[in-house]
Amino acid sequence: MQIQITKTQNPSTMPPENELGFGRVFTDHMFIMDYEEGKGWQNARIVPFQNISLHPASTVLHYGAEIFEGLKAYRRADGGVQLFRPMENIRRMNRSAERMSLPLLPEEETLEILKTFVKLEERFVPKSFGTSLYLRPFTFGNDEALGVHAVSRATFMLIASPSGSYYKEGINPVGIMIENEDVRTVRGGTGYAKCGGNYAASTRAGERAAKKGYSQVLWLDGVERKYVEEVGAMNVMFKIGGKIVTPMLTGSILPGITRMSCIAVLKDLGYEVEERLLSVDELLQALKDGSLEEAWGCGTAAVVSPIGRLAFGEEEYVVNGGKIGEVTQKLYDILTGIQWGKEEDKFGWVYKL
Ligand SMILES: *Cc1c(COP(=O)(O)O)cnc(C)c1O
C-alpha cells in the first residue's frame, strides 16, 4: 500500500512524561484512508494532526457505525520500540467490522500502516517504565445520506497519544460494584465487538458506581443477570480455591488480548484455568467462605487491575485483605516485563519496529 506522507510544519514539544495522563496529548500526525464500495480502500495518507469535517448526515453521527481498537507502542529497555501482539488487534478489528457491517481492513497492510506511523512518531514514545504511546485505530461509516443500511463509504484513521503510567502512585486495588440494573450487551448483540455504542451505553452505570465510591461496575449477563461477564471495560479473573476462573466468551464478552495473554502465562506457570460460566451466587459464596483468594481486571490500559472490595447491594466484601494478590502481581510483572522489553519474550508476542 502506497502511503502519501505530508509532514507538519509545526512540530510540537512533548510534555514532561509525568504530566502526560491518558489520551489528552496527541502526536503531530494522523493516518487516514477512505473506503468506497466497489473501489475498496484508497488514498492512504499521513497528514498533520487536525480536525476532520463530516457531512451532517454522515452515518456515524446518526446510527453509530463506529469501531475502534486500542494498543500500545512500548519503549524497550534497550531504547527500541515494540508493539504487543498487534495482529490480534487487527484481526479483532475485522471481527468488529464484520459485526457492524463496516469494511474490513487488509491485515498485512494494516500492520504496515501501524509500523510506518509509529516509526514516524517515534519521538512521542515515552521512555519511563509504564508509559507508552497509545494507538487508537478506528473506522466509521461515512455515507452522506440518512437511509439505514450497510455503509458504502467509510473512513479508517489512526491517531496516537503519548500516555503516562497507569500506576503512577503504585498498584492500588479498586472497589467494584456488582451492577444489577444496566447490562453492557447481550448474547447475539455487539459485546464481542469494540464498537463505540457499547461504551456510550455503559457510561451511566460507571458514573453511578463512582457516586457510591466505586471505581467501576462488575457486569452481569444481559439475559438472566446471573453470570459474571466483565469489569468496566476490562475482562475479569478470579482465583477460587487455587484455580483461576474467568468467564467464557459467550459473545457478549469482549475477547481481550490481555485476557488471552494472561491465560497463556497462567497455564505456563502451572495454574489450572477454567473458562466457564461463573454465577454471581457462586462468586458471593466464594467471598463468604473465603475461597475467593484474588480478583482482578485485565486489559491493555492497566495490564491488570486488582479488585480489593466487591459490593453487592448493601453488602461489601473485602478481597485478599484489600491487597494485590500473588498471582495478580506475578501476571503484572511477567506481562509488563515482556511488553517493555525487560524480559525474554518466550511466547513470541512482541513485534519490534
Ligand atoms: C478493550 C476491552 C477489553 C480489553 O481488551 P484488551 O485487548 O486486553 O485491551 C475488555 N473489555 C472491553 C469491554 C474492552 O473494550
Side-chain angles (χ1 to χ4, degrees):
M1 183 179 294
Q2 200 62 26
I3 304 176
Q4 195 196 329
I5 300 178
T6 311
K7 287 201 184 162
T8 181
Q9 296 302 306
N10 307 294
S12 60
T13 45
M14 170 98 156
E17 293 191 3
N18 59 355
E19 288 172 21
L20 286 170
F22 174 74
R24 290 186 279 111
V25 179
F26 293 92
T27 63
D28 280 348
H29 301 91
M30 61 192 199
F31 176 90
I32 183 162
M33 66 178 172
D34 312 310
Y35 175 88
E36 226 184 292
E37 206 176 306
K39 293 187 182 160
W41 290 105
Q42 49 192 344
N43 203 7
R45 58 211 188 266
I46 290 172
V47 295
F49 192 91
Q50 60 193 277
N51 289 356
I52 53 173
S53 95
L54 293 176
H55 189 283
S58 178
T59 324
V60 64
L61 300 177
H62 300 270
Y63 308 125
E66 194 265 359
I67 55 168
F68 66 94
E69 269 302 326
L71 69 163
K72 291 170 169 178
Y74 306 85
R75 180 74 65 182
R76 296 171 50 83
D78 64 14
V81 171
Q82 67 187 22
L83 306 176
F84 182 73
R85 312 187 77 176
M87 209 39 139
E88 296 295 341
N89 292 90
I90 294 169
R91 291 198 191 107
R92 184 170 67 191
M93 189 151 182
N94 275 345
R95 293 196 301 272
S96 300
E98 199 278 328
R99 179 64 184 85
M100 304 301 287
S101 297
L102 284 165
L104 275 63
L105 294 163
E107 292 177 358
E108 289 299 333
E109 279 101 328
T110 305
L111 188 59
E112 279 304 306
I113 291 168
L114 284 173
K115 196 165 147 183
T116 305
F117 185 73
V118 174
K119 276 192 172 159
L120 180 74
E121 302 293 52
E122 200 196 309
R123 72 184 181 92
F124 290 98
V125 183
K127 296 187 173 57
S128 1
F129 181 68
T131 64
S132 60
L133 179 64
Y134 184 81
L135 306 174
R136 169 53 61 88
F138 58 108
T139 298
F140 56 91
N142 198 12
D143 276 8
E144 300 179 348
L146 292 175
V148 183
H149 42 66
V151 300
S152 55
R153 284 176 44 153
T155 302
F156 169 79
M157 295 185 67
L158 170 62
I159 56 176
S161 171
S163 296
S165 175
Y166 192 90
Y167 291 117
K168 244 168 96 177
E169 278 122 46
I171 307 183
N172 287 315
V174 295
I176 298 294
M177 194 182 94
I178 300 176
E179 173 63 36
N180 239 331
E181 198 175 325
D182 290 358
V183 296
R184 200 181 79 87
T185 69
V186 295
R187 263 164 272 165
T190 56
Y192 69 88
K194 250 178 146 60
C195 62
N198 287 350
Y199 302 83
S202 62
T203 311
R204 181 173 80 168
E207 295 290 310
R208 285 197 299 229
K211 279 207 186 95
K212 293 188 179 158
Y214 296 95
S215 300
Q216 258 304 343
V217 299
L218 186 71
W219 296 108
L220 302 184
D221 78 277
V223 180
E224 299 176 73
R225 307 228 174 127
K226 182 173 169 188
Y227 299 106
V228 171
E229 298 219 313
E230 300 201 52
V231 58
M234 287 189 218
N235 294 113
V236 68
M237 298 189 169
F238 303 91
K239 183 164 177 249
I240 305 174
K243 290 184 197 166
I244 312 300
V245 181
T246 191
M248 62 192 271
L249 302 175
T250 53
S252 46
I253 292 173
L254 197 290
I257 295 157
T258 317
R259 174 188 182 276
M260 180 166 59
S261 308
C262 282
I263 292 172
V265 168
L266 287 163
K267 286 186 174 166
D268 184 62
L269 290 171
Y271 288 99
E272 202 176 315
V273 183
E274 296 181 345
E275 294 181 62
R276 61 171 171 88
L277 294 177
L278 171 66
S279 72
V280 74
D281 287 343
E282 181 185 345
L283 184 65
L284 292 174
Q285 186 54 43
L287 278 162
K288 286 177 191 153
D289 69 21
S291 59
L292 184 86
E293 298 163 68
E294 299 184 35
W296 66 92
C298 57
T300 296
V303 186
V304 293
S305 173
I307 299 170
R309 290 180 300 138
L310 206 52
F312 188 62
E314 297 303 306
E315 286 176 76
E316 191 188 89
Y317 304 87
V318 172
V319 183
N320 193 42
K323 299 189 305 287
I324 182 169
E326 194 189 330
V327 175
T328 315
Q329 182 72 54
K330 221 183 271 180
L331 278 175
Y332 182 78
D333 293 340
I334 292 172
L335 286 175
T336 56
I338 295 171
Q339 288 167 336
W340 274 272
K342 301 209 295 190
E343 293 209 18
E344 186 211 350
D345 170 32
K346 68 181 220 183
F347 299 96
W349 285 340
V350 303
Y351 181 80
K352 292 186 196 178
L353 297 185

